[in-house]
Amino acid sequence: MPWQRSDGRQPDRLRPIRFELDFTRFAAGSVLVRCGETQVLCTASIESGVPKFLQNSGQGWLTAEYRMLPSATLQRKSRELLKLSGRTQEIQRLIGRSLRACLDLKGLGERTITIDTDVLQADAGTRTASITGGYVALVRALEKLQNRGELTQLPLRYPVAAVSVGIVDGEVLLDLNYEEDVRAEVDCNVVMTGNLDIIEVQGTAESGSFNRAQLNRIMDFAEKGIKELLTAQQAALAETR
Ligand code: UDP
């Protein structure tokens, strides 16, 4: 019996990705990103001023917040617990680092960008969807600032996207859904630039260990997925111009 994914995808296929831009009205940039059944609302808000440690440095800052909604998962979770959890803290720091990497902070000037990522529905890959969608919200917000004449050029160094890759029953699989994620022996999250340079790799053997050959295959799958995500990001942004 050939090996089958629960949703019938080939091992190296992404879930369908969709970006709904300008999903909300008041944030400078907003997008609802859907990766299969995972849905994350990403917004980018820009304010003048920077945290104290950057005052008078001439450079800007980007920070990120991540939260799952109480009903985003099968079992409801309290808002308080979600706020305090170590997982939330870890994920929002990853999103912040990833999106800061793509910014020219000097070019941004003394402004602070806040990326808010709120998970409406969690079917695995919420941190990677937050980064991929957060980048789109960020660009949208910067373009609006530029259109208003507040920026002469976009302070962007390169695009950024992220994807998960895991090993389930010995098979390397791209972009796990929840059913796969809970069974995964290995769980990796990869963040890359438009040139496919690496910004961050998180990799954990949930049981046992994995070897170098498997890691190489994981990175090959990540590159393939991220290339497709970068194309989808650019297509979604181009539609609004
Ligand atoms: N999950 C959950 N409750 C939690 C944490 C995670 O139901 O408290 C589910 C959710 O579907 C999530 C998945 O487990 O997307 C994988 O979680 P992980 O921490 O690996 O992060 P993610 O893959 O979402 O970045």
Side-chain angles (χ1 to χ4, degrees):
M1 181 76 180
W3 201 90
Q4 275 267 320
R5 295 183 80 167
S6 60
D7 55 11
R9 273 182 292 155
Q10 292 297 308
D12 65 348
R13 289 296 297 267
L14 288 176
R15 294 177 286 183
I17 172 97
R18 277 172 52 203
F19 299 97
E20 202 167 325
L21 266 83
D22 302 332
F23 191 77
T24 60
R25 178 184 283 259
F26 299 124
S30 89
V31 60
L32 179 72
V33 59
R34 292 188 174 88
C35 302
E37 294 298 324
T38 287
Q39 298 178 5
V40 186
L41 173 61
C42 308
T43 64
S45 307
I46 306 183
E47 291 160 295
S48 55
V50 283
K52 241 197 180 108
F53 75 97
L54 285 174
Q55 277 169 14
N56 303 316
S57 66
Q59 75 169 64
W61 190 241
L62 179 145
T63 185
E65 294 201 4
Y66 165 97
R67 207 63 48 82
M68 288 210 292
L69 290 183
S71 59
T73 48
L74 214 57
Q75 190 107 46
R76 185 189 183 274
K77 289 209 154 173
S78 93
R79 286 178 204 272
E80 268 319 291
L81 283 181
L82 286 166
K83 181 176 175 184
L84 298 174
S85 93
R87 176 178 177 276
T88 295
Q89 307 300 320
E90 178 212 329
I91 292 179
Q92 63 192 14
R93 293 187 62 200
L94 169 71
I95 299 165
R97 282 196 302 278
S98 300
L99 295 178
R100 230 171 4 253
C102 75
L103 268 182
D104 165 14
L105 294 171
K106 280 254 177 260
L108 178 62
E110 290 200 14
R111 298 181 175 94
T112 298
I113 301 178
T114 305
I115 305 291
D116 285 295
T117 58
D118 288 278
V119 179
L120 313 190
Q121 191 163 284
D123 190 46
T126 63
R127 76 192 67 195
T128 51
S130 298
I131 293 166
T132 301
Y135 172 78
V136 173
L138 170 64
V139 174
R140 189 81 181 110
L142 290 170
E143 283 179 351
K144 280 200 192 154
L145 219 61
Q146 188 183 36
N147 290 343
R148 290 205 303 260
E150 293 175 41
L151 281 172
T152 47
Q153 57 186 38
L154 295 181
L156 289 168
R157 299 166 67 202
Y158 34 67
V160 166
V163 78
S164 80
V165 189
I167 301 182
V168 184
D169 296 337
E171 280 270 347
V172 176
L173 300 179
L174 179 64
D175 193 19
L176 305 185
N177 62 26
Y178 180 68
E179 216 175 315
E180 294 167 339
D181 189 281
V182 285
R183 291 172 49 214
E185 297 108 58
V186 175
D187 190 1
C188 293
N189 294 291
V190 180
V191 187
M192 284 182 173
T193 70
N195 297 327
L196 305 179
D197 287 332
I198 296 164
I199 295 181
E200 188 130 349
V201 178
Q202 299 184 326
T204 308
E206 306 287 349
S207 58
S209 58
F210 58 115
N211 61 34
R212 177 59 183 270
Q214 288 172 310
L215 179 60
N216 288 345
R217 191 163 166 81
I218 286 169
M219 294 307 292
D220 287 345
F221 274 36
E223 272 195 8
K224 176 182 182 287
I226 286 176
K227 261 192 220 167
E228 292 171 16
L229 292 168
L230 290 161
T231 303
Q233 286 172 323
Q234 295 311 323
L237 283 163
E239 269 184 29
T240 64
R241 288 179 190 135

